[in-house]
Amino acid sequence: MQRTRFGDMACSIARTLDVIGESWSPLILRNVLVGIGRFDQLQQSLGISRKVLTERLKWLVDNDVLERRRYSERPPRYEYALTAKGTELCDLLMVMVRWGDRWTAGEAGPPVLYRHHACGEIGHVELHCSVCDRPMDVTGIDILPGPGAAVTA
């Protein structure tokens, strides 16, 4: 099946989906974030085919989300680590976690808890305005064209 390309659209959501929109990619990032970075570990943990994992890892490396680091010379073996770009994408995953915990966790509750280093408390991600630091969600914003908006003739 041919993958739909969104990278040329004048839309930050579409461009982000172009990098991580395939369903395995966020799960690969999640695993690398928690320290599962070797190919065999990823394959076993996710139950993903070796072919698909190879393709996804190559895509994420080519897009500077992950980097390969050699951990064995003989035989040559690599593990995958988040780049700065990949670490910032994990912030997006934290927003997904918040939504999933609220709407899909069920009575058992969230499968994972997150302790904030700064305060030591269990918490969740909240969106705040970068200017005034007040809570920010779609009910309190206007969506305006930006400098990179597509120009129509």
Side-chain angles (χ1 to χ4, degrees):
M1 177 180 271
Q2 182 85 12
R3 184 175 132 80
T4 301
R5 297 297 315 262
F6 297 110
D8 294 332
M9 290 184 179
C11 172
S12 293
I13 295 170
R15 291 174 182 162
T16 302
L17 285 173
D18 194 55
V19 176
I20 64 157
E22 189 278 330
S23 57
W24 286 112
S25 295
L27 300 175
I28 292 168
L29 293 178
R30 175 205 63 192
N31 281 16
V32 172
L33 175 66
V34 300
I36 301 170
R38 295 182 179 178
F39 186 93
D40 290 337
Q41 294 172 326
L42 287 164
Q43 196 272 327
Q44 181 179 7
S45 171
L46 294 170
I48 185 175
S49 78
R50 297 179 73 79
K51 178 180 186 269
V52 171
L53 180 57
T54 298
E55 291 169 358
R56 289 292 85 219
L57 289 169
K58 181 179 182 335
W59 178 262
L60 293 168
V61 168
D62 289 349
N63 281 275
D64 195 33
V65 172
L66 295 177
E67 65 182 3
R68 284 174 37 139
R69 294 181 182 163
R70 184 175 274 194
Y71 70 87
S72 172
E73 292 295 325
R74 291 181 187 223
R77 298 258 190 250
Y78 297 88
E79 62 187 351
Y80 295 86
L82 294 167
T83 62
K85 192 174 174 180
T87 300
E88 194 166 329
L89 267 174
C90 289
D91 292 341
L92 171 65
L93 298 182
M94 292 299 299
V95 174
M96 292 173 68
V97 164
R98 169 96 192 266
W99 185 90
D101 286 352
R102 178 175 177 157
W103 296 103
T104 69
E107 289 187 31
V112 176
L113 300 175
Y114 298 88
R115 184 187 336 268
H116 187 220
H117 289 177
C119 69
E121 297 295 324
I122 302 297
H124 59 267
V125 169
E126 297 243 346
L127 297 177
H128 290 260
C129 175
S130 63
V131 177
C132 72
D133 200 37
R134 293 178 64 191
M136 183 175 177
D137 66 30
V138 298
T139 64
I141 63 170
D142 293 320
I143 300 172
L144 310 169
V151 179
T152 57

